[in-house]
Amino acid sequence: MKFVAIIILYHPEQDVLLGNIAHLQDAGWGVIIIDNSPQSCQGKLSSVIEYRHFPTNIGIAAAQNRGLEVAVSLQYDYAMLLDQDSRLSVAFLNAVSARSVTAHQLFPDMAAYGPTIISEFNNKAVKARIQRPESCDNGFMACRQIIASGKVIPLSVLQITGDMEEALFIDGVDHEWCWRAAQRGLRIIGDTQTHLLHRQGEDRKKILGITFKVGSPIRLYYQYRNILLLSRRGYVPRYWKLRNCLALPLRWIINGWCLDNKALRRKYMHKGLLDGINERAGPYQPGKQV
């Protein structure tokens, strides 16, 4: 079986990127780089790496789709999507290649396989609080959704699931694809026996005893807008709709009054609400008014 990693870049840390590439090559994996950064980094990479540069930033969904297209054209069997801030090792890659094939053999209807995610902020496993995965045999779990980084996709399944939804641009892309796969009769398989160190968000801040993820202000636009867009869809789980819609006022208070760049955060949340209500998708357009 041929495995390839598709790494999506946006202003990456060079040391982390080059270290991950070295581990992938040592493990015998192919490497595809999709770079949404303004400046190309191709000159720092080996010529054997498949590199595509999109300096205008086409979004994570479109970048993943371009990478998957390259992987299919090169006749790989499995592709692992990776964010630039995940940390790889040869041992992890060897385990993932073996475990994902085993999972696919046990679950022929598998749309994707994902390792257990370990947060870089506290070195603890990231676990769902609601709708927890169902345990299966051999340390595998049936999940509602998994995040993009570390997600291994049997490329043949794309004929059933379709591509990532480019209109969402960034937030919610990974979960929406999983829910769509489930709607089409496929399963998402998690693994308790492999672990990927991953940085979710830019920071953490504790307010009134509750720890909140902190991201860049513009991400709030996509989060607010995409929650409203996805909440209209029948195949999106009801618990997700309720949890996220009910949390919008709290997120407004925390981001708009308790974090840095309060005014800018309120601006992006407001625009996200308006565009979500009016069903506007695609990249953020600052000049478009309601």
PDB file of all heavy atoms in Angstrom, residues 257-270:
ATOM      1  N   TRP A 257     -15.126  40.937  24.722  1.00  0.00           N
ATOM      2  CA  TRP A 257     -14.915  41.773  25.900  1.00  0.00           C
ATOM      3  C   TRP A 257     -13.783  41.296  26.806  1.00  0.00           C
ATOM      4  O   TRP A 257     -13.320  42.055  27.656  1.00  0.00           O
ATOM      5  CB  TRP A 257     -16.215  41.832  26.715  1.00  0.00           C
ATOM      6  CG  TRP A 257     -17.360  42.341  25.885  1.00  0.00           C
ATOM      7  CD1 TRP A 257     -18.344  41.596  25.320  1.00  0.00           C
ATOM      8  CD2 TRP A 257     -17.604  43.682  25.486  1.00  0.00           C
ATOM      9  NE1 TRP A 257     -19.193  42.387  24.589  1.00  0.00           N
ATOM     10  CE2 TRP A 257     -18.770  43.686  24.674  1.00  0.00           C
ATOM     11  CE3 TRP A 257     -16.959  44.901  25.729  1.00  0.00           C
ATOM     12  CZ2 TRP A 257     -19.288  44.831  24.100  1.00  0.00           C
ATOM     13  CZ3 TRP A 257     -17.487  46.059  25.170  1.00  0.00           C
ATOM     14  CH2 TRP A 257     -18.635  46.021  24.374  1.00  0.00           C
ATOM     15  N   CYS A 258     -13.311  40.063  26.636  1.00  0.00           N
ATOM     16  CA  CYS A 258     -12.327  39.515  27.576  1.00  0.00           C
ATOM     17  C   CYS A 258     -10.959  39.224  26.954  1.00  0.00           C
ATOM     18  O   CYS A 258     -10.012  38.927  27.686  1.00  0.00           O
ATOM     19  CB  CYS A 258     -12.862  38.224  28.206  1.00  0.00           C
ATOM     20  SG  CYS A 258     -14.411  38.425  29.092  1.00  0.00           S
ATOM     21  N   LEU A 259     -10.830  39.276  25.639  1.00  0.00           N
ATOM     22  CA  LEU A 259      -9.572  38.951  24.970  1.00  0.00           C
ATOM     23  C   LEU A 259      -8.988  40.196  24.303  1.00  0.00           C
ATOM     24  O   LEU A 259      -9.635  41.242  24.225  1.00  0.00           O
ATOM     25  CB  LEU A 259      -9.797  37.854  23.923  1.00  0.00           C
ATOM     26  CG  LEU A 259     -10.346  36.522  24.434  1.00  0.00           C
ATOM     27  CD1 LEU A 259     -10.524  35.547  23.278  1.00  0.00           C
ATOM     28  CD2 LEU A 259      -9.437  35.919  25.493  1.00  0.00           C
ATOM     29  N   ASP A 260      -7.763  40.059  23.812  1.00  0.00           N
ATOM     30  CA  ASP A 260      -7.137  41.153  23.078  1.00  0.00           C
ATOM     31  C   ASP A 260      -7.874  41.395  21.760  1.00  0.00           C
ATOM     32  O   ASP A 260      -8.588  40.531  21.256  1.00  0.00           O
ATOM     33  CB  ASP A 260      -5.672  40.813  22.786  1.00  0.00           C
ATOM     34  CG  ASP A 260      -4.840  40.711  24.060  1.00  0.00           C
ATOM     35  OD1 ASP A 260      -5.233  41.325  25.072  1.00  0.00           O
ATOM     36  OD2 ASP A 260      -3.816  40.004  24.040  1.00  0.00           O
ATOM     37  N   ASN A 261      -7.686  42.579  21.185  1.00  0.00           N
ATOM     38  CA  ASN A 261      -8.308  42.951  19.903  1.00  0.00           C
ATOM     39  C   ASN A 261      -9.831  42.815  19.955  1.00  0.00           C
ATOM     40  O   ASN A 261     -10.473  42.290  19.043  1.00  0.00           O
ATOM     41  CB  ASN A 261      -7.747  42.074  18.763  1.00  0.00           C
ATOM     42  CG  ASN A 261      -6.261  42.218  18.591  1.00  0.00           C
ATOM     43  OD1 ASN A 261      -5.742  43.329  18.493  1.00  0.00           O
ATOM     44  ND2 ASN A 261      -5.548  41.097  18.583  1.00  0.00           N
ATOM     45  N   LYS A 262     -10.420  43.334  21.034  1.00  0.00           N
ATOM     46  CA  LYS A 262     -11.856  43.173  21.269  1.00  0.00           C
ATOM     47  C   LYS A 262     -12.693  43.743  20.130  1.00  0.00           C
ATOM     48  O   LYS A 262     -13.628  43.094  19.639  1.00  0.00           O
ATOM     49  CB  LYS A 262     -12.259  43.854  22.579  1.00  0.00           C
ATOM     50  CG  LYS A 262     -11.532  43.351  23.822  1.00  0.00           C
ATOM     51  CD  LYS A 262     -11.939  44.154  25.045  1.00  0.00           C
ATOM     52  CE  LYS A 262     -11.177  43.727  26.287  1.00  0.00           C
ATOM     53  NZ  LYS A 262      -9.714  43.960  26.152  1.00  0.00           N
ATOM     54  N   ALA A 263     -12.383  44.966  19.703  1.00  0.00           N
ATOM     55  CA  ALA A 263     -13.194  45.608  18.659  1.00  0.00           C
ATOM     56  C   ALA A 263     -13.110  44.838  17.349  1.00  0.00           C
ATOM     57  O   ALA A 263     -14.116  44.654  16.651  1.00  0.00           O
ATOM     58  CB  ALA A 263     -12.749  47.058  18.462  1.00  0.00           C
ATOM     59  N   LEU A 264     -11.904  44.370  17.012  1.00  0.00           N
ATOM     60  CA  LEU A 264     -11.727  43.618  15.776  1.00  0.00           C
ATOM     61  C   LEU A 264     -12.470  42.283  15.849  1.00  0.00           C
ATOM     62  O   LEU A 264     -13.088  41.838  14.867  1.00  0.00           O
ATOM     63  CB  LEU A 264     -10.236  43.387  15.521  1.00  0.00           C
ATOM     64  CG  LEU A 264      -9.861  42.729  14.193  1.00  0.00           C
ATOM     65  CD1 LEU A 264     -10.352  43.567  13.009  1.00  0.00           C
ATOM     66  CD2 LEU A 264      -8.347  42.524  14.103  1.00  0.00           C
ATOM     67  N   ARG A 265     -12.422  41.653  16.995  1.00  0.00           N
ATOM     68  CA  ARG A 265     -13.143  40.391  17.167  1.00  0.00           C
ATOM     69  C   ARG A 265     -14.654  40.603  17.021  1.00  0.00           C
ATOM     70  O   ARG A 265     -15.347  39.800  16.386  1.00  0.00           O
ATOM     71  CB  ARG A 265     -12.806  39.766  18.527  1.00  0.00           C
ATOM     72  CG  ARG A 265     -11.378  39.252  18.607  1.00  0.00           C
ATOM     73  CD  ARG A 265     -11.049  38.683  19.990  1.00  0.00           C
ATOM     74  NE  ARG A 265      -9.656  38.287  20.035  1.00  0.00           N
ATOM     75  CZ  ARG A 265      -9.177  37.121  19.602  1.00  0.00           C
ATOM     76  NH1 ARG A 265     -10.015  36.218  19.123  1.00  0.00           N
ATOM     77  NH2 ARG A 265      -7.885  36.849  19.668  1.00  0.00           N
ATOM     78  N   ARG A 266     -15.173  41.686  17.592  1.00  0.00           N
ATOM     79  CA  ARG A 266     -16.603  41.971  17.455  1.00  0.00           C
ATOM     80  C   ARG A 266     -16.971  42.237  15.996  1.00  0.00           C
ATOM     81  O   ARG A 266     -18.030  41.809  15.514  1.00  0.00           O
ATOM     82  CB  ARG A 266     -17.000  43.160  18.338  1.00  0.00           C
ATOM     83  CG  ARG A 266     -16.942  42.870  19.818  1.00  0.00           C
ATOM     84  CD  ARG A 266     -17.693  43.924  20.619  1.00  0.00           C
ATOM     85  NE  ARG A 266     -17.080  45.233  20.502  1.00  0.00           N
ATOM     86  CZ  ARG A 266     -16.131  45.699  21.324  1.00  0.00           C
ATOM     87  NH1 ARG A 266     -15.689  44.945  22.320  1.00  0.00           N
ATOM     88  NH2 ARG A 266     -15.638  46.913  21.165  1.00  0.00           N
ATOM     89  N   LYS A 267     -16.086  42.902  15.289  1.00  0.00           N
ATOM     90  CA  LYS A 267     -16.332  43.175  13.867  1.00  0.00           C
ATOM     91  C   LYS A 267     -16.467  41.877  13.068  1.00  0.00           C
ATOM     92  O   LYS A 267     -17.412  41.709  12.280  1.00  0.00           O
ATOM     93  CB  LYS A 267     -15.186  44.016  13.294  1.00  0.00           C
ATOM     94  CG  LYS A 267     -15.198  44.148  11.779  1.00  0.00           C
ATOM     95  CD  LYS A 267     -13.906  44.773  11.271  1.00  0.00           C
ATOM     96  CE  LYS A 267     -13.797  44.646   9.762  1.00  0.00           C
ATOM     97  NZ  LYS A 267     -12.521  45.178   9.243  1.00  0.00           N
ATOM     98  N   TYR A 268     -15.548  40.958  13.278  1.00  0.00           N
ATOM     99  CA  TYR A 268     -15.585  39.703  12.528  1.00  0.00           C
ATOM    100  C   TYR A 268     -16.783  38.842  12.932  1.00  0.00           C
ATOM    101  O   TYR A 268     -17.410  38.192  12.093  1.00  0.00           O
ATOM    102  CB  TYR A 268     -14.283  38.926  12.719  1.00  0.00           C
ATOM    103  CG  TYR A 268     -13.140  39.466  11.885  1.00  0.00           C
ATOM    104  CD1 TYR A 268     -11.940  39.832  12.483  1.00  0.00           C
ATOM    105  CD2 TYR A 268     -13.258  39.590  10.508  1.00  0.00           C
ATOM    106  CE1 TYR A 268     -10.876  40.311  11.723  1.00  0.00           C
ATOM    107  CE2 TYR A 268     -12.204  40.062   9.739  1.00  0.00           C
ATOM    108  CZ  TYR A 268     -11.019  40.427  10.350  1.00  0.00           C
ATOM    109  OH  TYR A 268      -9.973  40.910   9.587  1.00  0.00           O
ATOM    110  N   MET A 269     -17.105  38.802  14.215  1.00  0.00           N
ATOM    111  CA  MET A 269     -18.271  38.032  14.642  1.00  0.00           C
ATOM    112  C   MET A 269     -19.551  38.603  14.050  1.00  0.00           C
ATOM    113  O   MET A 269     -20.424  37.856  13.582  1.00  0.00           O
ATOM    114  CB  MET A 269     -18.348  37.994  16.178  1.00  0.00           C
ATOM    115  CG  MET A 269     -17.274  37.128  16.818  1.00  0.00           C
ATOM    116  SD  MET A 269     -17.472  36.915  18.627  1.00  0.00           S
ATOM    117  CE  MET A 269     -17.018  38.565  19.211  1.00  0.00           C
ATOM    118  N   HIS A 270     -19.660  39.926  14.041  1.00  0.00           N
ATOM    119  CA  HIS A 270     -20.845  40.577  13.474  1.00  0.00           C
ATOM    120  C   HIS A 270     -20.987  40.263  11.988  1.00  0.00           C
ATOM    121  O   HIS A 270     -22.069  39.900  11.513  1.00  0.00           O
ATOM    122  CB  HIS A 270     -20.750  42.089  13.696  1.00  0.00           C
ATOM    123  CG  HIS A 270     -21.918  42.844  13.155  1.00  0.00           C
ATOM    124  ND1 HIS A 270     -21.840  43.633  12.024  1.00  0.00           N
ATOM    125  CD2 HIS A 270     -23.209  42.918  13.576  1.00  0.00           C
ATOM    126  CE1 HIS A 270     -23.018  44.159  11.780  1.00  0.00           C
ATOM    127  NE2 HIS A 270     -23.866  43.754  12.694  1.00  0.00           N
TER     128      HIS A 270
END
